[in-house]
Amino acid sequence: MNIDFANLDKAYQEHEKEFTEATLEVMSSARYILGKETEELEERLREFTGSAHALACSSGTDALLLALMALGIRSRDEVITTPFSFIATAETIACLGAKPVFVDINEETYNIDPSLIEAAITENTKAIMPVSLYGQMAHMDEINRIAAKYGLAVIEDAAQSFGALYKGTRSCNASIIGCTSFFPAKPLGCFGDGGAVFSQSAALYEKMKAMRVHGQTKRYTHKYIGMGGRLDNLQAAVLNVKMKYYEQDIIRRQEVAQKYTERLKSSLSTPVVQEDRTSVWAQYTIRVQGREKVQESLKKVGIPTAVHYPIPMHLQECFQHLGYKKGDFPVSETCANEVMSLPMNPFLQEKEIDYITSNLLRSLK
Ligand SMILES: *Cc1c(COP(=O)(O)O)cnc(C)c1O
């Protein structure tokens, strides 16, 4: 058997006719940037998340940049975040000349450990940027409580968790600003790069909206330093089709995850979703010893796996100047050595899941 990790081709084929119609309409309309499809998408995003404002933009990375820029984060400011994430989280902070300050994660959720945050706050701290890794949100109540106590902003990096719930609140709507990504491999992916920012604050929304178009408030009148951060209308048209089926896709991902867990939980460490949350399963990530050997033997039988992520941020060469060293964040370091993601998408069949799990269990022996 040959297993597909993300099955993006099946996701396309499932609604091929609708994608073709929607994109043809954009192409023939000759409105390629920020047109009615983008406005429709933003309305859908608002409705889905319950957020007062949604702004579609060029990528998840640019969503994080827009959020940080709108909050006025600049050099010498500090932003507290997790070392166990995709590079974009800490990178966007550093891009603005600010300092990412890392705080170790909770071993069960892989998300920032709120009990360690207060010790990392200094007079330069301006914001906390938790990541909702693998599709499950961080402990947002606790993080918002600490932020309020010290007057800090909270930006949720929800690139992997669009659609997830925390105590009934949707991801992206659980703090002052939420940011997500529509990169093809994310739970809700378009056919290229895309992202969105969310806020309950009209003032922040207006600022991010201007910053998305070079800080422009009127044509060629620039109130802020901004960026070219717009979404293509073609991508919005694709996402409008995908949004119609997204709740169903989440359920299918959850069913796949449940089947994995049933088959694996007695033999190895499977993901734990907290009682007050749901996961949209951006990744189904387990822990194994001797990971390379396991990956190698699965590859031989047509099962792709991935590692999210092998090197924590504080040990990356690009962040050497921050002065961290091995041993600073032991939980993140252990997880980086042991995590392994299995194929995850709404199209995995029962017999494929059986094939993956039986081969996995055999490779552990
Ligand atoms: C994918 C991802 C991003 C960046 O999103 P892009 O759309 O690829 O720019 C940021 N943070 C996390 C946690 C991600 O997984």
Side-chain angles (χ1 to χ4, degrees):
M1 230 185 262
N2 247 326
I3 307 287
D4 198 306
F5 197 87
N7 263 327
L8 295 183
D9 50 348
K10 287 214 174 93
Y12 170 70
Q13 285 150 16
E14 195 177 26
H15 306 295
E16 184 171 3
K17 197 162 162 279
E18 280 187 79
F19 290 134
T20 308
E21 279 167 14
T23 51
L24 274 177
E25 192 177 320
V26 173
M27 287 191 280
S28 60
S29 78
R31 288 217 51 183
Y32 302 130
I33 303 276
L34 296 182
K36 85 171 170 21
E37 284 75 11
T38 304
E39 279 159 29
E40 181 189 331
L41 173 65
E42 289 171 343
E43 179 57 38
R44 282 179 185 277
L45 294 173
R46 250 193 311 277
E47 204 174 293
F48 184 84
T49 57
S51 183
H53 306 282
L55 193 70
C57 66
S58 42
S59 71
T61 304
D62 290 343
L64 294 171
L65 267 178
L66 282 170
L68 290 162
M69 286 165 70
L71 290 167
I73 304 294
R74 58 199 170 103
S75 70
R76 278 190 285 283
D77 289 344
E78 294 177 7
V79 178
I80 293 173
T81 190
T82 161
F84 195 61
S85 180
F86 180 61
I87 182 74
T89 314
E91 181 190 40
T92 49
I93 298 165
C95 272
L96 296 173
K99 184 176 164 191
V101 173
F102 297 118
V103 164
D104 213 353
I105 56 168
N106 173 295
E107 187 149 14
E108 225 173 58
T109 62
Y110 300 103
N111 289 327
I112 195 165
D113 183 342
S115 72
L116 304 174
I117 290 176
E118 278 193 89
I121 294 174
T122 72
E123 59 186 13
N124 295 324
T125 309
K126 293 286 154 59
I128 308 172
M129 194 191 274
V131 177
S132 302
L133 206 71
Y134 303 152
Q136 175 177 204
M137 291 164 75
H139 197 336
M140 295 304 286
D141 276 0
E142 192 53 20
I143 295 165
N144 282 324
R145 187 190 63 76
I146 296 164
K149 184 170 157 192
Y150 294 90
L152 310 175
V154 177
I155 303 169
E156 186 198 2
D157 180 346
Q160 302 187 10
S161 61
F162 186 75
L165 289 165
Y166 173 91
K167 301 181 181 176
T169 299
R170 287 276 191 204
S171 184
C172 295
N173 188 28
S175 63
I176 186 73
I177 303 182
C179 301
T180 198
S181 164
F182 304 125
F183 184 76
K186 309 286 179 181
L188 180 67
C190 58
F191 296 165
D193 278 308
V197 284
F198 298 81
S199 185
Q200 291 292 358
S201 154
L204 282 172
Y205 164 74
E206 290 299 338
K207 206 167 168 186
M208 291 190 287
K209 191 171 177 183
M211 286 177 159
R212 178 175 69 173
V213 195
H214 306 289
Q216 177 172 281
T217 43
K218 248 179 20 201
R219 188 159 223 195
Y220 304 133
T221 306
H222 302 271
K223 183 166 177 182
Y224 312 106
I225 304 284
M227 62 160 88
R230 297 157 304 207
L231 183 74
D232 293 353
N233 233 0
L234 273 175
Q235 301 303 343
V238 167
L239 287 164
N240 284 330
V241 174
K242 285 211 165 184
M243 278 293 284
K244 289 197 242 169
Y245 306 102
Y246 189 52
E247 299 233 41
Q248 199 52 44
D249 281 349
I250 294 173
I251 292 168
R252 293 198 285 177
R253 296 178 90 93
Q254 288 170 341
E255 284 167 358
V256 170
Q258 198 184 335
K259 285 175 186 158
Y260 270 143
T261 299
E262 278 163 14
R263 288 158 177 76
L264 297 173
K265 67 169 187 262
S266 61
S267 315
L268 53 81
S269 162
T270 50
V272 182
V273 178
Q274 306 295 298
E275 267 178 29
D276 55 7
R277 280 159 246 195
T278 63
S279 177
V280 294
W281 300 102
Q283 305 298 342
Y284 187 92
T285 304
I286 56 169
R287 302 271 287 276
V288 289
Q289 307 292 325
R291 180 174 64 198
E292 268 178 40
K293 268 198 187 143
V294 176
Q295 286 194 283
E296 200 49 46
S297 68
L298 289 176
K299 194 176 165 194
K300 277 192 193 124
V301 292
I303 301 169
T305 55
V307 176
H308 306 99
Y309 296 93
I311 307 171
M313 292 309 111
H314 67 288
L315 301 179
Q316 294 286 356
E317 192 176 345
C318 65
F319 289 133
Q320 255 178 14
H321 63 281
L322 297 174
Y324 291 108
K325 59 182 188 313
K326 206 165 184 162
D328 282 348
F329 305 108
V331 183
S332 296
E333 290 169 28
T334 303
C335 292
N337 285 329
E338 297 179 358
V339 291
M340 186 180 91
S341 304
L342 300 179
M344 169 49 80
N345 59 74
F347 303 95
L348 281 176
Q349 302 296 311
E350 187 112 23
K351 63 177 191 305
E352 293 178 303
I353 295 168
D354 285 335
Y355 180 75
I356 294 165
T357 52
S358 60
N359 276 289
L360 171 62
L361 293 173
R362 199 170 309 129
S363 76
L364 294 176
K365 285 197 188 112

